Amino acid sequence: MTQTGIPFVFMRGGTSRGPYFNRADLPTDRETLAEVLLAALGSGHPLNIDGIGGGAAVTTKVAMLSSSQDDWADVDYFFAQVSVEDRLVDFKPTCGNILSGVGPAAIEMGLVQATAGETEVKIRAVNTGARVVARVQTPEGRLTYAGDAEIAGVPGKAAPVALNFMGVVGSATGAFLPTGNLRDKFDGIEVTCMDVAMPMVIARAADFGLTGYETVAELDANRDFFARMEAIRLEAGAAMGMGDVSKSVTPKFGLLAPARDGGTIATRYFMPWNTHPSMAVTGAQCLASCALTPGSVADGLLDRPTESPASVVLEHASGTIDVLVDFEMNNHFTLNSAGLLRTARKLADGKIYVPARIWEGA
């Protein structure tokens, strides 16, 4: 045999998509695993022509599931971000959009048994240690993808997947404010470095000479902005205790501006070397937390909700995303949990084939 077949479920999760594997069907050592994922997704070509990636960061994501080693959780979710062209695999971050498909995929794989009406799936995000409760629609004990929920960035309607995130503060760095400051200044730009579900560097769009309402295409074409943003991200990453982040997709970068379409605040999110077409679930939690935190770079850009839980509507490049934030405000902002509504859909299943010279299988 010249190829190795690996069982998978191919799913859209939120506004991302990718293969969902049973971790037991993949190599145990990280180096071989990375090579297998690079081959499966076709990294190294802008169209991922020799794999199932879609030529964009939101379509070169991988979920690996297993029965949880945590007494609290049902499923362990191990995430990998595969680069489109650079043949890199980043195991540091997690992805909340792909997480939207973990509950349905776990049921598809037989890792979780569906219950009548709605199935609660407790998920441990291996990369960050975050705990998430997903509520999946299973009428009469059968998984369904049909429903009336709509999310920006995805056409049509589908069954809702409700996500409630807990333990997301300091998910990567161990601190809500990894630098110890509400604001820092790098290259003359004020930023808030925050770690809620995703470590981020957050700035005001106006400080870059931007409106914050630019389209994805307009931002991606602005290479001067990207060069300056990346320089700030690298400096901030070191200040956040994350070391050299030049080859890591974290920390991510976000921009804020006053809302103009009825939301709470306008946002743009970066992955980080191009603009996200909509909004990451993890990034949404961090940006919403920044918006609610007095003293952050969000000061003056919104009228802050003061009662908890608060609905924070983030305007993004494709529409809006609503984050329900449970918090306390004593001497400072304290996040308890954040909830979002997503959808997911199974697109295909079967086997992905990779050259046997990379991995001959178990």
Side-chain angles (χ1 to χ4, degrees):
M1 296 291 291
T2 60
Q3 296 206 91
T4 300
I6 307 168
F8 81 115
V9 179
F10 194 47
M11 296 195 69
R12 174 186 63 78
T15 55
S16 297
R17 76 160 194 253
Y20 289 62
F21 295 105
N22 189 317
R23 184 69 181 89
D25 293 329
L26 294 166
T28 55
D29 71 282
R30 191 69 62 87
E31 185 175 342
T32 307
L33 175 61
E35 290 298 320
V36 166
L37 298 184
L38 289 169
L41 275 294
S43 178
H45 186 278
L47 298 178
N48 301 138
I49 201 69
D50 201 33
I52 64 166
V58 294
T59 59
T60 52
K61 298 173 181 280
V62 177
M64 295 161 279
L65 312 185
S66 57
S67 295
S68 184
Q69 300 301 307
D70 187 306
D71 290 340
W72 175 86
D74 301 309
V75 177
D76 279 351
Y77 157 53
F78 182 36
F79 172 75
Q81 177 69 64
V82 179
S83 69
V84 175
E85 296 188 66
D86 298 331
R87 292 190 55 78
L88 297 173
V89 181
D90 196 346
F91 294 108
K92 290 181 182 178
T94 190
C95 175
N97 274 303
I98 288 293
L99 191 149
S100 308
V102 169
I107 295 171
E108 294 275 6
M109 293 178 184
L111 295 172
V112 171
Q113 183 66 45
T115 57
E118 185 177 80
T119 301
E120 180 180 279
V121 182
K122 295 179 178 178
I123 303 164
R124 180 175 74 103
V126 174
N127 307 67
T128 63
R131 293 178 171 185
V132 184
V133 176
R135 291 181 172 83
V136 182
Q137 300 305 300
T138 50
E140 300 180 359
R142 299 170 65 89
L143 182 64
T144 182
Y145 296 105
D148 294 323
E150 298 179 82
I151 60 173
V154 177
K157 300 179 180 181
V161 177
L163 302 174
N164 191 40
F165 293 78
M166 297 167 287
V168 291
V169 173
S171 59
T173 65
F176 178 61
L177 299 169
T179 68
N181 306 316
L182 278 164
R183 298 192 193 194
D184 294 280
K185 184 174 283 188
F186 303 108
D187 192 25
I189 298 289
E190 274 196 325
V191 301
T192 291
C193 298
M194 187 170 285
D195 185 1
V196 175
M198 176 68 68
M200 287 193 67
V201 184
I202 304 167
R204 292 180 293 261
D207 289 348
F208 286 94
L210 301 171
T211 65
Y213 316 125
E214 287 83 1
T215 66
V216 171
E218 288 170 339
L219 288 167
D220 283 346
N222 191 342
R223 302 323 296 176
D224 289 341
F225 160 67
F226 267 85
R228 192 173 188 195
M229 176 176 65
E230 180 65 1
I232 293 169
R233 191 184 77 89
L234 296 181
E235 194 173 347
M240 295 166 75
M242 300 179 69
D244 179 5
V245 299
S246 59
K247 294 185 178 180
S248 176
V249 297
T250 58
K252 298 293 177 65
F253 208 96
L255 294 178
L256 301 177
R260 68 169 185 176
D261 296 317
T264 306
I265 195 165
T267 62
R268 291 296 184 267
Y269 184 74
F270 303 89
M271 298 188 291
W273 302 300
N274 50 16
T275 311
H276 198 293
S278 54
M279 175 57 63
V281 168
T282 46
Q285 295 170 73
C286 195
L287 288 165
S289 297
C290 182
L292 292 175
T293 303
S296 75
V297 292
D299 279 2
L301 300 181
L302 75 161
D303 293 324
R304 284 196 175 95
T306 56
E307 294 187 2
S308 178
S311 176
V312 180
V313 181
L314 303 178
E315 299 176 0
H316 57 73
S318 297
T320 62
I321 185 170
D322 194 325
V323 186
L324 186 65
V325 182
D326 187 300
F327 67 96
E328 297 174 17
M329 189 68 75
N330 297 317
N331 294 327
H332 58 274
F333 175 84
T334 301
L335 175 69
N336 295 324
S337 66
L340 298 98
L341 186 70
R342 299 274 85 188
T343 66
R345 188 169 76 86
K346 178 181 175 180
L347 306 178
D349 61 18
K351 289 185 177 181
I352 289 178
Y353 288 88
V354 300
R357 60 177 171 77
I358 294 174
W359 185 52
E360 295 184 356

